[in-house]
Amino acid sequence: MEFAFEAAASRGVPLRVLHGWNEPYYYPYGMSPDPQVTEMLAQSDADALTEVLQPWRQKHPGVEVVTDSRSGSPSLLLIDASHEASLVVVGRRVRRSSVGAHIGPVAHAVLHHAAAPVAVVAHD
């Protein structure tokens, strides 16, 4: 988050924070999701995103933050959003491995398909 906020501040542009989430897989085959449950999940995720960003907003008050939380594949949502971005910042967990560094499926897909430069930033 620090990297993304600093990049937005140095460029003088708003920071769009996009969080993609998948609906639960407990829906019976062939039935559509309950709209009330989907809305409740969407609101819960949006509230959690706002709470996570609060300390960063306080630390960087000059950065305008636009949040976007929606259902869908995180990698596809980020790739789509990259068409309007000057930089896409993706986090990567630090995994200890004797084979070398590994990136997850979201970072991998964004690196290969984004329309804008991509920064993959390791975090714990």
Side-chain angles (χ1 to χ4, degrees):
M1 295 303 293
E2 183 70 27
F3 183 90
F5 271 89
E6 288 181 1
S10 70
R11 289 171 171 77
V13 297
L15 174 62
R16 179 177 178 198
V17 179
L18 176 61
H19 184 255
W21 51 276
N22 293 309
E23 293 180 3
Y25 293 106
Y26 59 79
Y27 295 113
Y29 181 76
M31 294 182 69
S32 61
D34 182 344
Q36 289 179 326
V37 172
T38 301
E39 179 60 33
M40 183 182 69
L41 291 170
Q43 186 60 51
S44 175
D45 192 76
D47 292 345
L49 183 58
T50 298
E51 185 177 327
V52 166
L53 291 172
Q54 190 57 35
W56 298 102
R57 285 179 162 165
Q58 291 174 350
K59 189 173 180 180
H60 299 274
V63 175
E64 177 188 350
V65 180
V66 178
T67 60
D68 189 357
S69 173
R70 59 176 117 151
S71 174
S73 163
S75 55
L76 293 178
L77 292 172
L78 287 168
I79 291 165
D80 185 48
S82 74
H83 293 279
E84 299 173 4
S86 59
L87 176 66
V88 178
V89 180
V90 181
R92 172 183 83 76
R93 286 190 207 110
V94 175
R95 295 187 175 114
R96 309 289 182 224
S97 173
S98 60
V99 185
H102 296 278
I103 62 172
V106 173
H108 185 264
V110 172
L111 277 171
H112 283 281
H113 301 288
V118 178
V120 180
V121 182
H123 64 88
D124 290 325

